[in-house]
Amino acid sequence: MKYQAIIFDLDGVICFTDEYHYLAWKQMADSLGVYFDREINNRLRGVSRMASLEIVLERYSGPALSDERKVELATMKNDIYRESLAQMSPADLSDEVRDTLNGLRERGLKLAIGSSSKNTPFILGQLGLGSFFDAVSDGNNITRSKPDPEVFLKAAEMLGLEPSVCLVVEDAVSGAEAGHAGGFDVACVGDAARAGSGDYNMQSVAELLDITAG
Ligand code: B16
Ligand code: MG
């Protein structure tokens, strides 16, 4: 088999927290009188929190915001977002994702996370996956956000494997670019699959069982 490990993006692949991100950014933007909609929210996929804030503030035209104020705004968004995450439970993990993860593990593949999110440990805990993965590389151990490959390279390093034997799974175009930049093959779902960004462009994650068969 070509692959020894699968490195999964989290938001948009393992779980779906887009709406929570949207509602939290919307509340923060409303407090500043800044226009924000779902289309702008789509541009935030895979993008770090502070880089996301800069995108949200493209529509801001008030007095200049200090770095401290920007951190405050990002914290406001994150506090609202975490209130939603606190409502999540293992029931939020779809049967399809659960069966796919178990099927891949039965084949002896190593499974890892490569996510931009600093909330990764919290989200995995809420989903009942707190100790499931062989490696977790996330927003807490990187200095450069996707499309930089750092988060995936760190995941491969934690697994002790070369990128050439790891398959990255992504829903964001910037994430697929990050995978390719690191020398990984990339399987895409959602937005990135529709854009044809992957070596494999899937309708759903269950197709990973076909891709890794034989
Ligand atoms: P946080 P992923 C990304 O996660 C999200 O897609 C993106 O919308 C978010 O801004 C980013 O994490 C940072 O999240 O504010 O929780 O640190 O898709 O890379 O798993
Ligand atoms: Mg994602």
Side-chain angles (χ1 to χ4, degrees):
M1 197 199 297
K2 183 172 179 188
Y3 304 112
Q4 294 177 35
I6 314 285
I7 304 174
F8 293 90
D9 171 57
L10 182 60
D11 286 332
V13 173
I14 300 291
C15 64
F16 301 90
T17 54
D18 296 46
E19 189 64 12
Y20 300 155
H21 277 298
Y22 168 71
L23 293 170
W25 282 122
K26 174 85 179 134
Q27 203 171 319
M28 191 228 77
D30 284 352
S31 76
L32 278 180
V34 170
Y35 177 80
F36 184 71
D37 63 17
R38 286 191 162 76
E39 208 172 307
I40 302 171
N41 190 58
N42 253 333
R43 290 175 54 204
L44 310 182
R45 268 175 218 284
V47 176
S48 73
R49 195 180 308 162
M50 293 312 287
S52 295
L53 177 69
E54 292 300 336
I55 294 173
V56 176
L57 293 177
E58 283 172 7
R59 304 267 187 143
Y60 175 76
S61 55
L65 299 168
S66 65
D67 288 349
E68 290 75 18
R69 179 69 181 132
K70 286 183 182 177
V71 169
E72 238 175 65
L73 290 168
T75 303
M76 181 202 299
K77 180 267 173 179
N78 194 51
D79 289 346
I80 301 165
Y81 177 56
R82 283 179 70 98
E83 279 174 29
S84 300
L85 297 181
Q87 309 299 318
M88 289 174 82
S89 75
D92 287 295
L93 188 67
S94 71
D95 289 343
E96 188 196 343
V97 170
R98 189 188 308 274
D99 292 348
T100 303
L101 289 173
N102 288 333
L104 293 169
R105 173 145 291 161
E106 275 166 26
R107 289 192 182 152
L109 286 154
K110 295 264 186 228
L111 305 179
I113 291 288
S115 167
S116 302
S117 176
K118 293 189 172 179
N119 290 298
T120 295
F122 186 41
I123 296 172
L124 291 177
Q126 292 298 98
L127 294 174
L129 294 174
S131 52
F132 179 84
F133 290 95
D134 299 296
V136 175
S137 174
D138 63 27
N140 299 296
N141 65 5
I142 55 170
T143 53
R144 296 179 300 278
S145 193
K146 301 168 187 176
D148 189 285
E150 184 181 13
V151 73
F152 296 128
L153 290 172
K154 289 249 167 80
E157 195 183 306
M158 288 176 192
L159 294 170
L161 294 171
E162 291 300 319
S164 57
V165 296
C166 303
L167 178 65
V168 162
V169 187
E170 259 293 346
D171 71 307
V173 173
S174 64
E177 285 170 4
H180 283 141
F184 298 87
D185 281 1
V186 181
C188 291
V189 289
D191 259 18
R194 283 187 287 278
S197 300
D199 301 286
Y200 310 94
N201 294 296
M202 310 182 293
Q203 300 284 342
S204 74
V205 290
E207 287 175 44
L208 289 171
L209 293 169
D210 301 326
I211 292 168
T212 57

